[in-house]
Amino acid sequence: MVRIRRAFADLSVGQVHYASAGQPSATPVLLLHQSPRSWLEYRAVLPLLGQRCHAIAMDTAGFGDSAPVGPPAGIEKWAVVAAELLASLGVGPACVVGHHTGGVIAVELAAARPTAVRALVLSSTPYVDESFRRARAQRPPIDEVEPSSDGSHLAALWQKRASFYPADRPDLLQAFVLDALRAGGDVEEGHRAVASYRMEDRIAAIVQPTLIVKAARDPFAAPHAAELQAQLSHARLATIDEGMVPLPDQLPARFAALVLEFIDNLDGRG
């Protein structure tokens, strides 16, 4: 098994935490997580990618062990920090893999820093436009719960996500709750940032080879796959029928295999 190494990089926001696997000379792959998770979303994926790539899973600024960007947080700021991490490690252009919020950050990173991004894998990534923003504004908070003196809010947080996770995998829900508790007391920050992002103004700049990964049992993101592909006519779509919200740590082998197949095609090995 390929070892995972953890470290910090001193960037403009302070210390940013990341985990990596594989040889630094191999094809670089940057992994960006959903909100309010951390690099741990890719803990099982990293060593699989690390067998052939230099896989790097960062904690988005303000999540996990990374310093925050300062209010207001936003997709653009998070993309800047991701670009700084790649530059500080001296790697790139990288294949950037993003899940949910991470996919939105990946879009901005590719649009703003095209020379830093060789290709994109957009997993369960919404297409954020005016209709998305209106719909999101009318919905209640996704993960927010009212703190309680008896700790019942922890069970409420669990229950909010339970129907979107495999019933036989309580370990995945536990991982989510642990990361949510570490998210600086604001589990909605990432969701608000996504909902305020103007992807429709940026997506035309995406010319890099793109793979869209659709988790068919993810009710939040699955409906957006067709919209996203309509905006990215050069993108290829791959569907994982049993995939749910926690796709990277639900089905790490399937997820890693799709990423590696995509990279092989880029390199002419597919």
Side-chain angles (χ1 to χ4, degrees):
M1 179 67 72
V2 177
R3 290 179 57 192
I4 294 175
R5 294 176 172 81
R6 298 173 61 186
F8 287 87
D10 291 313
L11 306 179
S12 63
V13 296
Q15 288 201 312
V16 168
H17 175 258
Y18 65 95
S20 64
Q23 296 299 317
S25 58
T27 300
V29 179
L30 178 66
L31 302 159
L32 304 173
H33 60 80
Q34 68 171 304
S35 301
R37 292 299 311 275
S38 71
W39 78 274
L40 291 168
E41 180 165 68
Y42 295 109
R43 179 168 54 184
V45 173
L46 271 174
L48 299 175
L49 295 181
Q51 293 175 19
R52 289 157 52 187
C53 302
H54 181 203
I56 305 157
M58 69 178 292
D59 285 343
T60 298
F63 295 86
D65 289 321
S66 288
V69 294
I75 299 299
E76 294 87 351
K77 290 182 178 180
W78 288 333
V80 167
V81 177
E84 290 178 357
L85 178 63
L86 289 174
S88 74
L89 297 177
V91 299
C95 178
V96 180
V97 179
H99 183 61
H100 274 264
T101 304
V104 181
I105 298 170
V107 167
E108 175 60 23
L109 178 58
R113 308 288 179 96
T115 59
V117 179
R118 180 188 180 197
L120 287 173
V121 177
L122 303 177
S123 171
S124 299
T125 299
Y127 175 59
V128 185
D129 60 1
E130 187 57 35
S131 64
F132 179 97
R133 288 187 289 273
R134 284 198 304 269
R136 182 67 191 89
Q138 295 168 4
R139 286 174 49 193
I142 296 173
D143 292 315
E144 186 177 78
V145 293
E146 188 69 27
S148 59
S149 59
D150 63 358
S152 58
H153 62 290
L154 302 180
L157 181 60
W158 182 289
Q159 290 301 324
K160 269 180 170 279
R161 288 260 176 161
S163 62
F164 312 122
Y165 279 58
D168 60 347
R169 294 292 305 277
D171 57 308
L172 299 181
L173 264 173
Q174 179 170 292
F176 158 74
V177 171
L178 289 172
D179 273 341
L181 293 175
R182 298 173 63 204
D186 187 358
V187 294
E188 292 298 312
E189 183 176 59
H191 306 315
R192 286 196 303 272
V194 168
S196 63
Y197 181 61
R198 296 189 61 84
M199 187 182 287
E200 70 269 39
D201 296 339
R202 305 294 281 158
I203 201 161
I206 305 302
V207 296
Q208 295 91 337
T210 302
L211 173 66
I212 298 170
V213 179
K214 175 183 176 181
R217 296 177 61 196
D218 181 338
F220 295 108
H224 293 285
E227 290 180 283
L228 199 60
Q229 191 173 31
Q231 297 296 322
L232 298 170
S233 59
H234 64 284
R236 182 168 70 86
L237 176 66
T239 300
I240 298 180
D241 290 334
E242 62 271 42
M244 301 179 75
V245 168
L247 179 60
D249 49 359
Q250 175 198 0
L251 299 166
R254 291 283 301 280
F255 191 87
L258 278 178
V259 174
L260 289 172
E261 178 189 16
F262 178 61
I263 291 172
D264 283 347
N265 287 330
L266 293 176
D267 293 337
R269 296 195 299 263

